[in-house]
Amino acid sequence: MDGVRARVDAWCWAIRLFPTRTAAGAACRAGHVRVNGERAKPATIVVPGDEVHVRGGARERIVIVQRTIVKRVSAEAAATCYLDRSPVVPPKEQVALAGSRERGAGRPTKRDRRMIERLRGH
């Protein structure tokens, strides 16, 4: 079903932005999905050229609709249906493994706890 008008919840699920269609619909109802800057209901129609903003978790996805599909396809096929304009995810901070202790070492002493807290930056 290529090039058809598609509901935004079905399209977001089909291109694998959400694990289930129910989750896609819930995100739309919660206001986490916008189409061309407007808050989208699950039944909002998307057509090629529309810009879809999806906010979820710690990441925001911005995609431009290239093709509309309503059936879930492989990840490779789904990637051809949109143009990803999402901001680059910053790398996770390199945190020292503070607080790791040898197995069987027992509870940390007050001095150990203070050192662990200092390493964590608290």
Side-chain angles (χ1 to χ4, degrees):
M1 301 188 86
D2 188 12
V4 297
R5 294 167 32 119
R7 291 170 51 116
V8 71
D9 62 340
W11 186 77
C12 286
W13 167 74
I15 66 161
R16 298 172 176 266
L17 291 180
F18 292 98
T20 64
R21 184 161 173 192
T22 303
C28 291
R29 284 189 293 281
H32 300 299
V33 178
R34 295 185 173 273
V35 175
N36 296 326
E38 299 292 321
R39 187 174 170 175
K41 293 181 180 178
T44 301
I45 301 297
V46 292
V47 294
D50 284 347
E51 184 177 77
V52 179
H53 290 252
V54 177
R55 190 169 31 102
R59 185 165 185 208
E60 179 180 5
R61 300 286 307 265
I62 302 170
V63 296
I64 309 292
V65 180
Q66 297 291 316
R67 279 187 13 218
T68 54
I69 58 172
V70 292
K71 298 285 185 183
R72 194 163 173 105
V73 294
S74 68
E76 294 81 21
T80 64
C81 297
Y82 64 92
L83 184 61
D84 198 353
R85 298 282 186 200
S86 302
V88 177
V89 178
K92 290 185 177 182
E93 293 181 19
Q94 294 295 330
V95 179
L97 292 176
S100 62
R101 297 175 51 84
E102 293 181 25
R103 187 171 177 90
R107 290 182 57 179
T109 63
K110 190 172 193 175
R111 181 172 178 245
D112 292 338
R113 285 196 313 271
R114 286 180 177 161
M115 288 173 48
I116 291 168
E117 292 296 319
R118 197 174 310 126
L119 284 172
R120 287 186 180 164
H122 294 289

